[in-house]
Amino acid sequence: MNTPLVESVLLGAISAVSLAIGVFFIRYWRSSRDRFYLFFAASFILESINRALIGVIGRSEFEPWHYGVRFLAYVLIVVAILDKNRSR
């Protein structure tokens, strides 16, 4: 089996699912106007773009800048949780 082809398909699937989850959170944000959902949407959309770029550019996902983008996505999730708990 061709490994780069399988990797590309899996990266595309992860990218599409991440984008769908991001759109799902935007839908919740539009109905509730809660920033928690907006931060989560930004995180998942950022991760979707990152995975799509890895697949399109064809470079390894083990390069440092991919970790930077992934770290930013996780920071957005942590900010969302802290922001949600601070407002109480």
Side-chain angles (χ1 to χ4, degrees):
M1 186 171 266
N2 192 355
T3 304
L5 177 63
V6 172
E7 285 181 18
S8 295
V9 169
L10 290 175
L11 284 171
I14 292 170
S15 177
V17 170
S18 295
L19 183 63
I21 293 170
V23 170
F24 199 66
F25 278 119
I26 285 177
R27 187 174 146 199
Y28 277 125
W29 173 72
R30 289 183 67 186
S31 65
S32 70
R33 294 292 179 192
D34 190 351
R35 289 186 299 188
F36 179 80
Y37 298 119
L38 188 60
F39 282 122
F40 265 73
S43 174
F44 278 97
I45 290 172
L46 185 63
E47 185 64 27
S48 171
I49 292 169
N50 186 32
R51 298 292 178 153
L53 285 177
I54 292 171
V56 169
I57 294 173
R59 293 196 172 180
S60 170
E61 68 177 313
F62 299 109
E63 292 186 14
W65 70 276
H66 293 296
Y67 286 112
V69 173
R70 195 173 298 159
F71 178 73
L72 180 62
Y74 293 141
V75 166
L76 284 173
I77 290 175
V78 170
V79 167
I81 293 169
L82 292 176
D83 184 58
K84 183 69 175 183
N85 289 321
R86 181 185 286 186
S87 63
R88 289 185 181 183

Coordinates of all heavy atoms in Angstrom, one line a residue:
M1 N 0.8 -1.2 0.0 CA 0.0 0.0 0.0 C 0.9 1.2 0.0 O 1.9 1.3 0.6 CB -0.9 0.0 1.2 CG -1.9 1.1 1.2 SD -3.1 0.9 2.5 CE -4.4 0.1 1.6
N2 N 0.5 2.2 -0.7 CA 1.2 3.5 -0.8 C 1.0 4.3 0.4 O 0.0 4.9 0.6 CB 0.8 4.2 -2.1 CG 1.7 5.3 -2.4 OD1 2.6 5.6 -1.7 ND2 1.4 6.0 -3.6
T3 N 2.1 4.5 1.2 CA 2.0 5.2 2.5 C 1.7 6.7 2.3 O 0.8 7.2 3.0 CB 3.3 5.0 3.3 OG1 3.5 3.6 3.5 CG2 3.1 5.6 4.7
P4 N 2.3 7.4 1.4 CA 2.0 8.8 1.3 C 0.5 9.0 0.9 O -0.1 10.0 1.3 CB 2.9 9.3 0.2 CG 4.1 8.4 0.3 CD 3.5 7.1 0.6
L5 N 0.0 8.1 0.1 CA -1.4 8.2 -0.3 C -2.3 8.1 0.9 O -3.3 8.8 1.1 CB -1.8 7.2 -1.4 CG -3.2 7.2 -1.8 CD1 -3.6 8.5 -2.5 CD2 -3.5 6.1 -2.8
V6 N -2.0 7.1 1.7 CA -2.8 6.8 2.9 C -2.7 8.0 3.9 O -3.7 8.5 4.4 CB -2.4 5.5 3.6 CG1 -3.0 5.4 5.0 CG2 -2.6 4.3 2.7
E7 N -1.5 8.5 4.0 CA -1.3 9.7 4.9 C -2.1 10.9 4.4 O -2.8 11.6 5.1 CB 0.2 10.1 5.0 CG 1.0 9.2 5.9 CD 2.4 9.6 5.9 OE1 2.8 10.8 5.6 OE2 3.2 8.8 6.3
S8 N -2.1 11.1 3.1 CA -2.9 12.2 2.5 C -4.4 12.1 2.7 O -5.1 13.0 3.0 CB -2.6 12.3 1.0 OG -1.3 12.7 0.7
V9 N -4.9 10.9 2.6 CA -6.3 10.6 2.8 C -6.7 10.8 4.3 O -7.7 11.5 4.6 CB -6.7 9.2 2.4 CG1 -8.1 8.8 2.8 CG2 -6.6 9.0 0.8
L10 N -5.8 10.4 5.2 CA -6.1 10.5 6.6 C -6.0 12.0 7.0 O -6.8 12.5 7.8 CB -5.1 9.7 7.4 CG -5.4 8.2 7.4 CD1 -4.3 7.5 8.1 CD2 -6.7 7.8 7.9
L11 N -5.0 12.7 6.4 CA -4.9 14.2 6.7 C -6.1 14.9 6.2 O -6.6 15.8 6.8 CB -3.6 14.8 6.1 CG -2.3 14.5 6.8 CD1 -1.1 14.9 6.0 CD2 -2.3 15.1 8.2
G12 N -6.6 14.5 5.0 CA -7.8 15.2 4.5 C -9.0 14.9 5.3 O -9.9 15.8 5.6
A13 N -9.1 13.6 5.8 CA -10.3 13.3 6.7 C -10.2 14.1 8.0 O -11.2 14.6 8.4 CB -10.3 11.8 6.9
I14 N -9.0 14.1 8.6 CA -8.9 14.9 9.8 C -9.2 16.3 9.6 O -9.9 17.0 10.4 CB -7.4 14.7 10.4 CG1 -7.3 13.2 10.9 CG2 -7.2 15.6 11.6 CD1 -5.8 12.9 11.2
S15 N -8.7 16.9 8.5 CA -9.0 18.3 8.2 C -10.5 18.5 8.0 O -11.0 19.5 8.5 CB -8.2 18.7 6.9 OG -8.5 20.0 6.6
A16 N -11.1 17.7 7.3 CA -12.6 17.8 7.1 C -13.4 17.7 8.3 O -14.3 18.5 8.6 CB -13.1 16.8 6.0
V17 N -13.0 16.8 9.2 CA -13.8 16.6 10.4 C -13.5 17.8 11.4 O -14.4 18.2 12.0 CB -13.4 15.2 11.1 CG1 -13.9 15.1 12.5 CG2 -13.9 14.1 10.2
S18 N -12.3 18.2 11.4 CA -12.0 19.4 12.2 C -12.8 20.6 11.8 O -13.3 21.4 12.6 CB -10.5 19.7 12.2 OG -9.8 18.7 12.8
L19 N -12.8 20.8 10.5 CA -13.6 21.9 9.9 C -15.1 21.8 10.3 O -15.8 22.8 10.6 CB -13.4 22.0 8.4 CG -14.1 23.2 7.7 CD1 -13.6 24.5 8.2 CD2 -13.9 23.1 6.2
A20 N -15.6 20.6 10.2 CA -17.0 20.3 10.5 C -17.3 20.7 12.0 O -18.3 21.3 12.3 CB -17.4 18.9 10.2
I21 N -16.4 20.2 12.8 CA -16.5 20.5 14.3 C -16.5 22.0 14.5 O -17.2 22.6 15.3 CB -15.5 19.8 15.1 CG1 -15.7 18.3 15.0 CG2 -15.5 20.2 16.5 CD1 -14.6 17.4 15.6
G22 N -15.5 22.7 13.8 CA -15.4 24.2 13.9 C -16.7 24.9 13.5 O -17.2 25.8 14.2
V23 N -17.3 24.4 12.4 CA -18.6 25.0 11.9 C -19.7 24.7 12.9 O -20.5 25.6 13.2 CB -18.9 24.5 10.5 CG1 -20.3 24.9 10.1 CG2 -17.9 25.0 9.5
F24 N -19.7 23.6 13.5 CA -20.6 23.2 14.5 C -20.6 24.1 15.7 O -21.6 24.6 16.2 CB -20.4 21.8 15.0 CG -21.5 21.1 15.6 CD1 -22.7 20.8 15.0 CD2 -21.4 20.7 17.0 CE1 -23.7 20.2 15.6 CE2 -22.5 20.1 17.6 CZ -23.6 19.8 16.9
F25 N -19.3 24.5 16.2 CA -19.2 25.4 17.3 C -19.6 26.8 16.9 O -20.1 27.5 17.7 CB -17.7 25.4 17.8 CG -17.5 24.2 18.8 CD1 -16.5 23.3 18.4 CD2 -18.2 24.1 19.9 CE1 -16.3 22.2 19.3 CE2 -17.9 23.1 20.8 CZ -17.0 22.1 20.5
I26 N -19.3 27.2 15.7 CA -19.8 28.5 15.2 C -21.3 28.6 15.3 O -21.9 29.6 15.7 CB -19.3 28.8 13.8 CG1 -17.8 29.2 13.8 CG2 -20.0 30.0 13.1 CD1 -17.2 29.4 12.5
R27 N -22.0 27.5 14.9 CA -23.4 27.5 15.0 C -23.9 27.7 16.4 O -24.8 28.5 16.7 CB -23.9 26.2 14.5 CG -25.4 26.1 14.3 CD -25.8 24.8 13.7 NE -27.1 24.4 14.2 CZ -27.5 23.2 14.1 NH1 -26.8 22.2 13.5 NH2 -28.7 22.8 14.6
Y28 N -23.2 27.0 17.4 CA -23.6 27.2 18.8 C -23.3 28.7 19.3 O -24.0 29.3 20.0 CB -22.8 26.3 19.7 CG -23.4 24.9 19.8 CD1 -22.7 23.8 19.5 CD2 -24.8 24.8 20.2 CE1 -23.3 22.5 19.6 CE2 -25.4 23.5 20.3 CZ -24.6 22.4 20.0 OH -25.2 21.2 20.0
W29 N -22.2 29.2 18.8 CA -21.8 30.6 19.1 C -22.9 31.6 18.6 O -23.2 32.5 19.3 CB -20.4 30.9 18.6 CG -20.1 32.4 18.8 CD1 -19.8 33.0 20.0 CD2 -20.1 33.4 17.8 NE1 -19.5 34.3 19.8 CE2 -19.7 34.6 18.4 CE3 -20.3 33.4 16.4 CZ2 -19.6 35.8 17.7 CZ3 -20.2 34.6 15.7 CH2 -19.9 35.7 16.4
R30 N -23.3 31.4 17.4 CA -24.3 32.3 16.8 C -25.6 32.3 17.6 O -26.3 33.3 17.7 CB -24.6 31.9 15.3 CG -23.4 32.3 14.5 CD -23.6 32.0 13.0 NE -24.7 32.9 12.6 CZ -25.2 32.9 11.4 NH1 -24.9 32.0 10.6 NH2 -26.2 33.7 11.1
S31 N -26.0 31.1 18.1 CA -27.2 31.0 18.9 C -27.1 31.5 20.3 O -28.1 32.0 20.9 CB -27.8 29.6 18.8 OG -27.0 28.7 19.5
S32 N -25.9 31.3 20.9 CA -25.8 31.7 22.3 C -24.9 32.9 22.6 O -25.0 33.5 23.6 CB -25.1 30.5 23.1 OG -23.8 30.3 22.7
R33 N -24.1 33.3 21.6 CA -23.1 34.4 21.7 C -22.2 34.2 22.9 O -21.7 35.2 23.5 CB -23.9 35.8 21.9 CG -24.6 36.2 20.7 CD -23.7 36.5 19.6 NE -24.5 36.8 18.4 CZ -24.0 36.9 17.2 NH1 -22.7 36.7 17.0 NH2 -24.7 37.3 16.2
D34 N -21.9 33.0 23.2 CA -21.0 32.6 24.3 C -19.6 32.5 23.6 O -19.4 31.7 22.7 CB -21.4 31.3 24.9 CG -20.6 31.0 26.2 OD1 -19.6 31.7 26.4 OD2 -21.0 30.0 26.9
R35 N -18.6 33.2 24.2 CA -17.2 33.2 23.6 C -16.6 31.8 23.7 O -15.7 31.5 22.9 CB -16.4 34.2 24.3 CG -16.7 35.6 23.9 CD -15.8 36.6 24.5 NE -15.8 36.5 26.0 CZ -15.2 37.3 26.8 NH1 -14.5 38.3 26.3 NH2 -15.3 37.1 28.1
F36 N -17.0 31.0 24.6 CA -16.5 29.7 24.8 C -16.5 28.9 23.5 O -15.6 28.3 23.0 CB -17.3 29.0 25.9 CG -16.9 27.6 26.1 CD1 -15.8 27.3 26.9 CD2 -17.6 26.5 25.6 CE1 -15.4 26.0 27.1 CE2 -17.2 25.2 25.8 CZ -16.1 24.9 26.6
Y37 N -17.7 29.0 22.8 CA -17.8 28.3 21.5 C -17.0 28.9 20.4 O -16.5 28.2 19.5 CB -19.3 28.3 21.1 CG -20.2 27.5 22.1 CD1 -21.2 28.1 22.8 CD2 -19.9 26.2 22.4 CE1 -22.0 27.4 23.7 CE2 -20.7 25.5 23.3 CZ -21.7 26.1 24.0 OH -22.5 25.4 24.9
L38 N -16.9 30.2 20.5 CA -16.1 30.9 19.5 C -14.6 30.5 19.6 O -13.9 30.2 18.5 CB -16.2 32.4 19.6 CG -15.6 33.3 18.5 CD1 -16.2 32.9 17.2 CD2 -15.7 34.7 18.8
F39 N -14.1 30.4 20.8 CA -12.7 30.0 21.0 C -12.5 28.5 20.5 O -11.5 28.2 19.8 CB -12.3 30.1 22.4 CG -11.9 31.4 22.9 CD1 -12.6 32.0 23.9 CD2 -10.9 32.2 22.3 CE1 -12.3 33.3 24.4 CE2 -10.6 33.4 22.7 CZ -11.3 34.0 23.7
F40 N -13.4 27.7 20.8 CA -13.4 26.3 20.3 C -13.4 26.2 18.8 O -12.7 25.4 18.2 CB -14.5 25.4 21.0 CG -14.0 24.7 22.2 CD1 -13.8 25.4 23.4 CD2 -13.8 23.4 22.2 CE1 -13.4 24.8 24.5 CE2 -13.4 22.7 23.3 CZ -13.1 23.4 24.5
A41 N -14.3 27.0 18.2 CA -14.4 27.0 16.7 C -13.1 27.5 16.1 O -12.6 26.9 15.1 CB -15.6 28.0 16.3
A42 N -12.5 28.5 16.7 CA -11.2 29.0 16.1 C -10.2 27.9 16.2 O -9.4 27.7 15.3 CB -10.8 30.3 16.9
S43 N -10.2 27.2 17.4 CA -9.2 26.2 17.6 C -9.3 25.1 16.5 O -8.3 24.6 15.9 CB -9.3 25.6 19.0 OG -8.5 24.5 19.1
F44 N -10.5 24.6 16.3 CA -10.7 23.5 15.4 C -10.5 23.9 13.9 O -10.0 23.2 13.1 CB -12.1 22.9 15.6 CG -12.2 21.9 16.7 CD1 -12.6 22.3 17.9 CD2 -11.7 20.6 16.5 CE1 -12.7 21.4 19.0 CE2 -11.7 19.7 17.6 CZ -12.2 20.1 18.8
I45 N -10.9 25.1 13.6 CA -10.7 25.6 12.2 C -9.2 25.8 12.0 O -8.7 25.5 10.9 CB -11.5 26.9 12.0 CG1 -13.0 26.6 11.9 CG2 -11.0 27.6 10.7 CD1 -13.9 27.8 11.9
L46 N -8.5 26.3 13.0 CA -7.0 26.4 12.9 C -6.4 25.1 12.7 O -5.5 24.9 11.8 CB -6.5 27.1 14.1 CG -5.0 27.4 14.1 CD1 -4.7 28.5 13.0 CD2 -4.6 28.0 15.5
E47 N -6.8 24.1 13.4 CA -6.3 22.7 13.3 C -6.6 22.2 11.9 O -5.8 21.5 11.3 CB -6.8 21.8 14.4 CG -6.2 20.5 14.4 CD -4.7 20.4 14.6 OE1 -4.2 21.3 15.3 OE2 -4.1 19.4 14.2
S48 N -7.8 22.5 11.4 CA -8.2 22.0 10.1 C -7.3 22.6 9.0 O -6.9 21.9 8.1 CB -9.7 22.4 9.8 OG -10.0 22.2 8.5
I49 N -7.0 23.9 9.1 CA -6.2 24.5 8.1 C -4.8 24.0 8.2 O -4.1 23.7 7.2 CB -6.2 26.1 8.3 CG1 -7.5 26.7 8.0 CG2 -5.1 26.8 7.5 CD1 -7.7 28.1 8.4
N50 N -4.3 23.7 9.4 CA -3.0 23.2 9.6 C -2.9 21.8 8.9 O -1.9 21.5 8.2 CB -2.7 23.1 11.1 CG -1.2 22.6 11.4 OD1 -0.3 22.9 10.6 ND2 -1.0 21.9 12.4
R51 N -3.8 20.9 9.2 CA -3.8 19.6 8.6 C -3.9 19.7 7.0 O -3.2 18.9 6.3 CB -4.9 18.7 9.1 CG -4.8 18.5 10.6 CD -3.7 17.6 10.9 NE -3.6 17.4 12.4 CZ -3.1 16.4 12.9 NH1 -2.5 15.4 12.2 NH2 -3.1 16.3 14.3
A52 N -4.7 20.6 6.5 CA -4.9 20.7 5.1 C -3.6 21.2 4.5 O -3.2 20.7 3.4 CB -6.0 21.7 4.8
L53 N -2.9 22.1 5.1 CA -1.6 22.6 4.6 C -0.6 21.5 4.6 O 0.3 21.4 3.7 CB -1.1 23.8 5.4 CG -1.8 25.1 5.1 CD1 -1.3 26.2 6.1 CD2 -1.7 25.5 3.7
I54 N -0.6 20.7 5.6 CA 0.4 19.6 5.7 C 0.2 18.7 4.5 O 1.1 18.2 3.8 CB 0.3 18.8 7.0 CG1 0.7 19.6 8.2 CG2 1.1 17.5 6.9 CD1 0.4 19.0 9.5
G55 N -1.1 18.4 4.2 CA -1.5 17.5 3.0 C -1.1 18.2 1.7 O -0.6 17.5 0.8
V56 N -1.4 19.5 1.6 CA -1.2 20.1 0.3 C 0.3 20.4 0.0 O 0.8 20.1 -1.1 CB -2.0 21.5 0.3 CG1 -1.6 22.3 -0.9 CG2 -3.5 21.2 0.3
I57 N 1.0 20.9 1.1 CA 2.4 21.2 0.9 C 3.2 19.9 0.8 O 4.2 19.8 0.0 CB 2.9 22.0 2.1 CG1 2.3 23.4 2.0 CG2 4.4 22.2 2.0 CD1 2.6 24.3 3.2
G58 N 2.8 18.9 1.5 CA 3.4 17.6 1.4 C 4.6 17.4 2.3 O 5.4 16.5 2.1
R59 N 4.8 18.3 3.2 CA 5.9 18.2 4.2 C 5.4 17.3 5.4 O 4.3 17.1 5.6 CB 6.3 19.5 4.6 CG 6.9 20.3 3.5 CD 7.6 21.5 4.0 NE 8.4 22.1 3.0 CZ 9.1 23.2 3.1 NH1 9.3 23.7 4.3 NH2 9.7 23.7 2.1
S60 N 6.4 17.0 6.1 CA 6.2 16.2 7.3 C 5.5 17.0 8.4 O 5.7 18.2 8.6 CB 7.5 15.6 7.9 OG 7.3 15.0 9.1
E61 N 4.6 16.3 9.1 CA 3.9 17.0 10.2 C 4.8 17.1 11.4 O 4.3 17.6 12.5 CB 2.5 16.4 10.5 CG 2.7 15.0 11.2 CD 1.3 14.5 11.5 OE1 0.5 15.2 12.2 OE2 1.0 13.3 11.2
F62 N 6.0 16.6 11.4 CA 6.9 16.7 12.5 C 7.8 17.9 12.5 O 8.7 18.0 13.2 CB 7.7 15.4 12.6 CG 6.9 14.2 12.8 CD1 6.7 13.3 11.7 CD2 6.2 14.0 13.9 CE1 5.9 12.2 11.9 CE2 5.4 12.9 14.1 CZ 5.2 11.9 13.1
E63 N 7.5 18.8 11.5 CA 8.3 20.1 11.5 C 7.9 21.0 12.6 O 6.7 21.0 13.0 CB 8.2 20.7 10.1 CG 8.8 19.9 9.0 CD 8.8 20.5 7.7 OE1 8.5 21.7 7.6 OE2 9.1 19.8 6.7
P64 N 8.8 21.8 13.1 CA 8.5 22.7 14.2 C 7.3 23.6 14.1 O 6.5 23.8 15.0 CB 9.8 23.5 14.5 CG 10.8 22.7 13.8 CD 10.2 22.0 12.7
W65 N 7.1 24.2 12.9 CA 6.0 25.2 12.8 C 4.6 24.5 12.9 O 3.7 25.2 13.3 CB 6.2 26.0 11.5 CG 5.9 25.3 10.2 CD1 6.8 24.5 9.5 CD2 4.7 25.2 9.5 NE1 6.2 24.0 8.4 CE2 4.9 24.4 8.3 CE3 3.4 25.8 9.7 CZ2 3.9 24.2 7.4 CZ3 2.4 25.5 8.7 CH2 2.7 24.7 7.6
H66 N 4.5 23.2 12.6 CA 3.3 22.5 12.7 C 2.9 22.4 14.2 O 1.8 22.5 14.6 CB 3.3 21.2 12.1 CG 3.4 21.2 10.6 ND1 2.4 21.8 9.8 CD2 4.3 20.8 9.8 CE1 2.7 21.7 8.6 NE2 3.9 21.2 8.5
Y67 N 4.0 22.2 15.0 CA 3.8 22.1 16.5 C 3.4 23.5 17.0 O 2.6 23.5 17.9 CB 5.0 21.6 17.2 CG 5.3 20.2 17.0 CD1 6.3 19.7 16.2 CD2 4.4 19.2 17.6 CE1 6.6 18.3 16.1 CE2 4.6 17.9 17.4 CZ 5.7 17.4 16.6 OH 5.9 16.1 16.5
G68 N 3.9 24.5 16.4 CA 3.5 25.9 16.9 C 2.1 26.2 16.6 O 1.4 26.7 17.5
V69 N 1.6 25.8 15.4 CA 0.1 26.0 15.1 C -0.7 25.1 16.0 O -1.7 25.6 16.6 CB -0.1 25.7 13.6 CG1 -1.6 25.7 13.3 CG2 0.6 26.6 12.8
R70 N -0.3 23.9 16.2 CA -1.1 23.0 17.1 C -1.1 23.5 18.5 O -2.1 23.4 19.2 CB -0.4 21.6 17.0 CG -1.3 20.5 17.6 CD -0.8 19.1 17.4 NE -0.7 18.9 15.9 CZ 0.1 18.0 15.4 NH1 0.9 17.2 16.2 NH2 0.2 17.8 14.1
F71 N 0.1 24.0 19.0 CA 0.2 24.6 20.3 C -0.8 25.8 20.4 O -1.5 25.9 21.5 CB 1.6 25.1 20.6 CG 1.8 25.7 21.9 CD1 1.7 25.0 23.1 CD2 2.0 27.1 22.0 CE1 1.9 25.6 24.3 CE2 2.1 27.7 23.2 CZ 2.1 26.9 24.4
L72 N -0.9 26.6 19.4 CA -1.8 27.8 19.4 C -3.2 27.3 19.5 O -4.1 27.9 20.2 CB -1.6 28.6 18.2 CG -2.5 29.8 18.1 CD1 -2.2 30.8 19.2 CD2 -2.2 30.5 16.7
A73 N -3.6 26.2 18.8 CA -4.9 25.7 18.9 C -5.3 25.2 20.3 O -6.4 25.4 20.8 CB -5.1 24.5 17.9
Y74 N -4.3 24.5 20.9 CA -4.6 24.1 22.3 C -4.6 25.2 23.3 O -5.4 25.2 24.2 CB -3.5 23.1 22.7 CG -3.6 21.8 21.9 CD1 -2.4 21.1 21.5 CD2 -4.8 21.2 21.6 CE1 -2.5 19.9 20.8 CE2 -4.9 20.0 20.9 CZ -3.7 19.4 20.5 OH -3.8 18.2 19.8
V75 N -3.8 26.3 23.0 CA -3.9 27.4 23.9 C -5.3 28.1 23.8 O -5.8 28.5 24.8 CB -2.8 28.4 23.5 CG1 -3.0 29.8 24.1 CG2 -1.4 27.9 24.0
L76 N -5.9 28.1 22.6 CA -7.2 28.7 22.4 C -8.2 27.9 23.3 O -9.1 28.4 23.9 CB -7.6 28.7 21.0 CG -7.0 29.7 20.1 CD1 -7.3 29.5 18.6 CD2 -7.5 31.1 20.5
I77 N -8.1 26.6 23.3 CA -9.0 25.7 24.1 C -8.8 26.1 25.6 O -9.8 26.2 26.4 CB -8.8 24.2 23.8 CG1 -9.2 23.9 22.4 CG2 -9.5 23.4 24.9 CD1 -9.0 22.5 22.0
V78 N -7.6 26.2 26.1 CA -7.3 26.5 27.5 C -7.8 27.9 27.8 O -8.5 28.1 28.8 CB -5.8 26.4 27.8 CG1 -5.5 27.0 29.1 CG2 -5.3 25.0 27.7
V79 N -7.7 28.9 26.9 CA -8.2 30.2 27.1 C -9.7 30.2 27.2 O -10.3 30.9 28.0 CB -7.7 31.2 26.0 CG1 -8.5 32.5 26.0 CG2 -6.3 31.4 26.1
A80 N -10.3 29.4 26.3 CA -11.8 29.2 26.4 C -12.3 28.7 27.7 O -13.2 29.2 28.3 CB -12.3 28.3 25.3
I81 N -11.6 27.7 28.3 CA -12.0 27.1 29.5 C -11.8 28.1 30.7 O -12.6 28.3 31.5 CB -11.2 25.8 29.8 CG1 -11.6 24.8 28.8 CG2 -11.4 25.3 31.2 CD1 -10.8 23.5 28.8
L82 N -10.6 28.8 30.6 CA -10.3 29.8 31.7 C -11.3 31.0 31.6 O -11.8 31.5 32.6 CB -8.9 30.3 31.6 CG -7.8 29.3 31.9 CD1 -6.4 29.9 31.6 CD2 -7.9 28.8 33.3
D83 N -11.6 31.4 30.4 CA -12.5 32.5 30.2 C -13.9 32.1 30.7 O -14.6 33.0 31.3 CB -12.6 32.9 28.8 CG -13.5 34.1 28.5 OD1 -13.2 35.2 29.1 OD2 -14.4 34.0 27.7
K84 N -14.3 30.9 30.4 CA -15.7 30.5 30.9 C -15.8 30.4 32.4 O -16.8 30.8 33.0 CB -15.9 29.1 30.2 CG -17.3 28.6 30.6 CD -18.4 29.4 29.8 CE -19.7 28.7 30.0 NZ -20.7 29.4 29.3
N85 N -14.7 29.9 33.0 CA -14.8 29.8 34.5 C -14.5 31.1 35.2 O -14.9 31.3 36.3 CB -13.7 28.8 34.9 CG -14.1 27.4 34.6 OD1 -15.3 27.0 34.6 ND2 -13.2 26.6 34.1
R86 N -13.8 32.1 34.6 CA -13.6 33.4 35.2 C -14.9 34.2 35.2 O -15.1 35.0 36.2 CB -12.5 34.1 34.4 CG -12.2 35.5 35.0 CD -11.3 36.3 34.2 NE -10.0 35.7 34.3 CZ -8.9 36.2 33.8 NH1 -9.0 37.3 33.1 NH2 -7.7 35.7 33.9
S87 N -15.7 34.1 34.2 CA -16.9 34.9 34.2 C -18.0 34.5 35.2 O -18.9 35.2 35.4 CB -17.5 34.8 32.8 OG -17.9 33.5 32.5
R88 N -17.8 33.5 35.9 CA -18.8 33.1 37.0 C -18.6 33.8 38.2 O -17.6 34.3 38.7 CB -18.7 31.6 37.3 CG -19.2 30.8 36.1 CD -19.2 29.3 36.5 NE -19.7 28.6 35.3 CZ -19.8 27.3 35.3 NH1 -19.6 26.6 36.4 NH2 -20.3 26.7 34.3

